[in-house]
Each structure stands twice: as structure tokens, then as C-alpha cells.
């Protein structure tokens, strides 16, 4: 099976699960992720204060329906978990259509699609259905049942930590709180899990932390419980909406010039697909929390089509057909390039800085990396010239216009030939100006 199909297949396994910001759907999802990579699952009790928020009651649902006068289920949770407004309070009642309509949500301009709605922080109940379905409703009395529970329990999240040589961390974060929506949550989960699996058996310079968390409250909860650890995050990415057919969109960290911003920007310039880089804004996904001013972490957000920019967003049309195996594979590829750029980005010192070294005499005037001889020699000359201890390989890649992997290969070869020495970078983690009181 190709990587793209394996990614898509994994998303298909997660698709039917009824996820929300808490409850069995999240646990089941984490269990499926945990079958692929080592995952530590945390449970944080409802009522726990986390910064300005409180971990909410846990929500679970067994069944829900609307029955017409003949007893037929005209809306049925068993057919789509999107039919229920997430976090709907339990209800068993009969009511006329007029009153029921206050709790029904449709998309009149997309009459075949079911919208996705939530009511996390205000107790309410509701059903979502296609506008076509609603138009078939006749006047009369309806029976409504939402067999849900909203009670003290816990909020669940999963972490996969891959230790590297350095305690400095690379964070990959994705949300696991949307029900049957493919691009908006499953694409990020699948790509993150596959990246973790591929990094598992590599020698890593950074420590990798993969977070599979409920959006907003999950990130806030993790940050509240891991403040010291958070300040050890040196690079980070939020992954979302990376399986659709759109070009890449990378939203920069709030800092705007972090290594991760440069590494992703560089990988995009060389990826051969359409792309766009966006400045940070305080809305979107969990980069909002990681980049809140107290933390101001170097965390960007990698997407294909940005949230809200495609009509399928938050509807039943964000389904398994909307995400494409080759797009998921392309996203994993780009992400891997960015990660390897960060991993391999060091500064070197030329040991032969007075005029160019004679490459031919050292058997360095030959192609070894599958590129043209001219390109490889060019990469070596760029690395030799700018390896003055202050320019990193990414600096050199950007100056030369050559792709990072080529610059990295040149540096490896020159290091092996004794023409370069590694310059160790600063090891102290940066601190922000804010002090938690
Ligand atoms: Zn969403």
C-alpha cells in the first residue's frame, strides 16, 4: 500500500468515531492512534481550573433521533454523528414542528449537506440535518430523544514523546475533537501519527512531542499543566486541514522569524506545489494558545486549504472523499522535509578559510548525490564560503537558492573530508518576558 493510501486508510478507521472535546470518542480515537505509536494518555478531571478556563463536564452519547407521528426516525444519530449538536444536553420530549425548529440547523444554500455545530460552553441541545431533509418535515408532533450525558468526568489527551539527544523540544499538535470530519481533524491526526512512526527509529537531535488534544480547551489544559516544559519548545507546528486538494498554506508563528517559519518556508519554496505563507493572526487553531503572549512559542500552523475558506468546512461534505491519498502523502512529505531541515540545521566553521580549498585533490570534484556535478559543486562552494561559524546551513540554502537537503549533503561530505568543523549552538532555552503570577 502506498503511504497516501495508508494515511487515508487510517483516517477511514477514525472517521466513524463520535468525537467531542471529552468523552469516549476521544478515548477510542487515542486508542486507535496508540496501536500505531507509543501514546501516553492523560485524564484531567472536570472542574480543574486551567488558566482562565475550567475543564468542562464530560459528554457522552449513546443514541439520538427525531421520530415523526408514525414512529419513523426522520433524523437518526446512527446514520451520521453530525446530526447531533456536539455537547447536546439529554432530552426526551414531544413537540410540534414549530417548537422543534428552534433546535434544528440546516444549510439552505447547500441543501444536501449536514452542518457541524457545537455548544460546548452553554447548555443547549440541537439537531443538524440537510435542508432537503427538513423540507420533507410536515406539520405535526415529533418525538425527540437525545440519550446523552453531561456529567463530571475528565478531559482526555494523548502524548507521544520521542526522546532525542537534546531536551529541546519540537512540538507537533493536532486536535482530536471533531466527529466525522475528515480534513478538519483526521488529516492532521493521520499525518502526525505517521510522522511519529517514521521518526521513531531515527537518531534524533531534538526531542519530539506529539500532542493529540481536544481543540482550545485541550491545548489550554496541556499548557496549564506543563508550563516549564512549554518553555523548552524550540520549534512547533499545529497540523490541520492537510488532506484536501488545495495548495499549502503556512501560518507563521507570532514571532514570524522563528526557525520553524524559515524551515517550512524553505520546504515550501522547493516542494513543487502551490503554496502561500500567511502572517500570524489570533484566530484559527491551537497556535492561538501556543502563541498567546505569555508563551509566544515558535509554533506555526500548516494547512492546505485554511479553515473556513472551503465550503465543505464544518459540514458533512468534509468526508473521506474530500481528502485525497496523494495530498495526505504530499503533506507528510513536506512536513518531513521541514523536520529534517530543523534536525540538520547547524553552523559549521571552514578549516580552510584562506582562499578556496582545492577540491580535485581531495576527490571532491565529483557528483555523489544524484544531482548534476555543476549543482553539487555549487552547493560545496556555498557551504565552504559561508561556513564562518555564524551562518547556518538554512542561511546558506536560502542565500544560494539551493534546496536544504543538497546543502546538507555538501556539508556532510565536506565534514567527512576534514574541511569543516561543527559549531555547537547555544543550548539555553529562551524565556519570554512574562512571568506567571
Ligand atoms: Zn473545526
Amino acid at each position: 500500500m502506498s503511504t497516501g493510501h495508508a494515511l487515508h486508510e487510517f483516517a477511514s478507521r477514525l472517521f466513524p468515531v463520535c468525537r467531542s472535546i471529552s468523552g469516549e470518542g476521544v478515548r477510542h480515537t487515542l486508542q486507535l492512534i496508540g496501536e500505531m505509536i507509543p501514546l501516553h494518555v492523560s485524564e484531567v478531571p472536570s472542574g480543574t481550573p486551567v488558566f482562565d478556563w475550567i475543564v468542562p463536564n464530560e459528554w457522552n452519547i449513546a443514541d439520538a433521533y427525531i421520530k415523526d407521528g408514525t414512529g419513523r426516525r426522520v433524523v437518526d444519530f446512527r446514520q451520521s454523528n453530525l446530526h447531533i449538536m456536539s455537547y447536546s444536553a439529554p432530552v426526551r420530549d414531544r413537540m410540534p414542528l414549530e417548537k422543534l425548529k428552534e433546535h434544528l440547523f440546516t444549510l439552505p444554500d447547500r441543501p444536501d449537506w449536514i452542518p457541524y455545530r457545537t455548544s460546548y460552553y452553554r447548555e443547549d441541545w440541537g439537531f443538524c440535518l440537510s435542508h432537503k431533509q427538513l423540507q420533507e418535515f410536515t406539520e405535526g408532533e415529533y418525538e425527540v430523544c437525545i440519550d446523552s450525558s453531561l456529567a463530571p468526568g475528565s478531559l482526555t489527551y494523548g502524548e507521544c514523546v520521542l526522546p532525542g539527544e537534546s531536551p529541546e523540544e519540537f512540538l507537533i499538535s493536532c486536535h482530536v475533537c471533531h466527529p466525522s470530519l475528515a480534513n478538519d481533524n483526521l488529516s492532521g491526526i493521520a499525518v502526525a501519527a505517521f510522522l511519529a512512526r517514521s521518526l521513531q527509529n531515527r537518531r534524533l537531535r531534538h526531542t519530539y512531542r506529539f500532542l493529540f488534544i481536544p481543540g482550545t480547551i485541550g491545548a489550554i489544559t496541556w499548557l496549564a499543566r506543563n508550563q516549564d516544559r512549554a518553555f523548552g519548545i524550540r520549534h512547533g507546528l499545529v497540523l490541520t486541514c492537510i488532506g484536501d486538494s488545495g495548495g499549502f498554506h503556512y501560518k507563521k508563528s507570532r514571532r514570524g522569524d522563528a526557525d520553524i517559519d524559515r524551515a517550512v518556508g524553505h520546504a515550501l519554496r522547493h516542494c513543487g506545489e502551490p503554496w502561500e505563507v500567511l502572517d500570524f493572526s489570533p484566530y484559527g487553531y491551537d497556535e492561538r494558545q501556543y502563541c498567546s503572549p505569555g508563551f509566544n512559542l515558535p509554533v506555526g500552523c500548516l494547512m492546505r486549504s485554511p479553515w473556513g475558506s472551503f465550503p465543505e468546512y464544518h459540514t458533512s461534505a468534509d468526508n473521506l472523499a474530500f481528502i485525497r491519498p496523494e495530498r495526505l502523502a504530499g503533506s507528510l512529505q513536506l512536513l518531513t522535509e521541514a523536520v529534517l531541515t530543523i534536525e540538520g540545521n547547524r553552523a559549521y566553521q571552514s578549516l580552510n578559510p584562506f582562499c578556496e580549498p582545492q577540491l580535485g585533490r581531495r576527490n571532491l570534484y565529483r557528483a555523489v548525490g544524484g544531482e548534476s556535478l555543476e549543482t553539487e559543486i555549487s552547493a560545496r562552494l556555498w557551504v565552504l564560503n559561508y561556513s564562518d561559524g555564524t551562518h547556518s546551513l538554512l542561511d546558506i540554502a536560502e542565500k544560494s537558492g539551493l534546496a536544504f537537503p543538497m546543502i546538507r549533503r555538501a556539508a556532510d561530505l565536506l565534514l567527512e573530508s576534514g574541511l569543516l568543523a561543527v559549531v555547537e549552538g547555544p543550548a539555553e532555552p529562551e524565556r519570554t518576558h512574562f512571568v506567571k503570577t
Side-chain angles (χ1 to χ4, degrees):
M1 200 189 296
S2 71
T3 303
H5 283 97
L7 281 158
H8 196 273
E9 200 263 343
F10 186 61
S12 311
R13 291 180 62 204
L14 300 175
F15 189 74
V17 180
C18 184
R19 280 165 292 271
S20 187
I21 54 171
S22 67
E24 289 305 326
V26 176
R27 291 190 191 98
H28 186 195
T29 299
L30 296 178
Q31 183 206 324
L32 293 172
I33 298 168
E35 288 171 11
M36 187 154 71
I37 52 172
L39 201 66
H40 181 262
V41 174
S42 298
E43 300 277 357
V44 184
S46 304
T48 305
V50 285
F51 293 119
D52 202 37
W53 299 57
I54 291 169
V55 174
N57 279 340
E58 182 177 325
W59 184 72
N60 284 290
I61 183 161
D63 191 14
Y65 55 81
I66 302 172
K67 282 182 179 173
D68 66 10
T70 71
R72 191 173 64 94
R73 286 189 180 214
V74 289
V75 176
D76 188 353
F77 171 72
R78 296 175 304 192
Q79 287 184 351
S80 169
N81 55 38
L82 294 176
H83 278 317
I84 302 310
M85 183 166 76
S86 193
Y87 258 67
S88 277
V91 58
R92 272 178 201 280
D93 206 353
R94 294 181 154 276
M95 60 190 70
L97 181 60
E98 234 11 73
K99 186 156 175 255
L100 175 61
K101 272 186 174 171
E102 293 166 18
H103 296 275
L104 300 182
F105 304 96
T106 68
L107 296 168
D109 54 336
R110 301 277 177 183
D112 292 314
W113 298 354
I114 306 167
Y116 162 58
R117 284 250 186 173
T118 64
S119 186
Y120 297 140
Y121 302 106
R122 189 176 63 90
E123 194 165 308
D124 197 1
W125 62 270
F127 287 87
C128 304
L129 60 160
S130 73
H131 201 66
K132 253 187 186 162
Q133 232 175 330
L134 179 62
Q135 281 170 326
E136 285 164 19
F137 278 44
T138 52
E139 292 301 323
E141 203 175 58
Y142 287 84
E143 179 189 340
V144 296
C145 165
I146 297 181
D147 182 6
S148 65
S149 61
L150 202 48
S154 57
L155 176 133
T156 316
Y157 61 80
E159 276 173 281
C160 168
V161 178
L162 306 176
E165 288 160 19
S166 158
E168 293 183 352
E169 293 203 357
F170 194 134
L171 174 78
I172 304 278
S173 176
C174 58
H175 61 293
V176 295
C177 54
H178 288 26
S180 294
L181 295 176
N183 202 35
D184 186 5
N185 93 339
L186 298 185
S187 65
I189 298 171
V191 169
F194 274 60
L195 176 69
R197 193 174 66 173
S198 79
L199 292 180
Q200 233 182 318
N201 302 315
R202 285 184 91 109
R203 214 175 126 212
L204 299 168
R205 200 171 131 207
H206 296 86
T207 292
Y208 285 77
R209 181 178 303 274
F210 291 81
L211 284 184
F212 299 90
I213 51 171
T216 308
I217 188 68
I220 292 169
T221 300
W222 187 86
L223 286 165
R225 302 177 85 211
N226 296 276
Q227 292 181 52
D228 281 347
R229 195 165 271 156
F231 288 114
I233 293 171
R234 302 307 300 272
H235 317 283
L237 285 172
V238 169
L239 302 182
T240 182
C241 299
I242 47 175
D244 64 277
S245 298
F248 285 115
H249 288 81
Y250 174 66
K251 178 178 156 184
K252 289 196 278 190
S253 72
R254 185 175 178 274
R255 298 182 186 187
D257 61 350
D259 286 351
I260 190 65
D261 300 321
R262 295 180 59 211
V264 176
H266 182 79
L268 287 171
R269 280 194 288 283
H270 292 273
C271 77
E273 286 197 51
W275 55 272
E276 200 180 324
V277 171
L278 313 168
D279 281 330
F280 178 78
S281 55
Y283 43 86
Y285 290 89
D286 285 329
E287 68 279 6
R288 286 153 42 191
Q289 314 310 333
Y290 303 125
C291 298
S292 56
F295 286 105
N296 199 21
L297 300 177
V299 176
C301 177
L302 183 63
M303 305 163 273
R304 281 187 177 274
S305 296
W307 64 279
S309 73
F310 49 99
E312 294 85 355
Y313 174 75
H314 279 190
T315 78
S316 56
D318 180 3
N319 56 27
L320 290 169
F322 186 62
I323 57 170
R324 313 290 311 161
E326 68 279 9
R327 296 299 172 148
L328 290 163
S331 296
L332 177 60
Q333 176 68 33
L334 181 95
L335 179 62
T336 304
E337 293 291 344
V339 165
L340 294 182
T341 299
I342 294 285
E343 279 287 298
N345 189 29
R346 287 181 180 277
Y348 295 80
Q349 182 84 50
S350 170
L351 300 177
N352 193 100
F354 298 102
C355 299
E356 291 177 355
Q358 201 186 0
L359 298 182
R361 184 160 64 79
R362 295 181 167 85
N363 197 22
L364 292 173
Y365 210 86
R366 61 188 166 105
V368 292
E371 302 290 338
S372 73
L373 177 65
E374 197 190 350
T375 310
E376 290 199 26
I377 296 302
S378 170
R380 281 165 219 164
L381 293 178
W382 277 102
V383 172
L384 281 168
N385 189 291
Y386 276 97
S387 287
D388 53 7
T390 65
H391 291 88
S392 71
L393 292 187
L394 183 53
D395 293 333
I396 301 172
E398 288 184 336
K399 277 184 181 296
S400 67
L402 296 169
F404 185 86
M406 206 182 304
I407 291 295
R408 175 65 209 255
R409 272 198 300 275
D412 287 347
L413 188 71
L414 295 168
L415 187 71
E416 211 175 277
S417 308
L419 285 170
L420 294 183
V422 176
V423 175
E424 294 303 337
E428 275 302 295
E430 289 169 47
R431 291 275 169 175
T432 65
H433 309 297
F434 288 81
V435 177
K436 178 92 174 60
T437 49

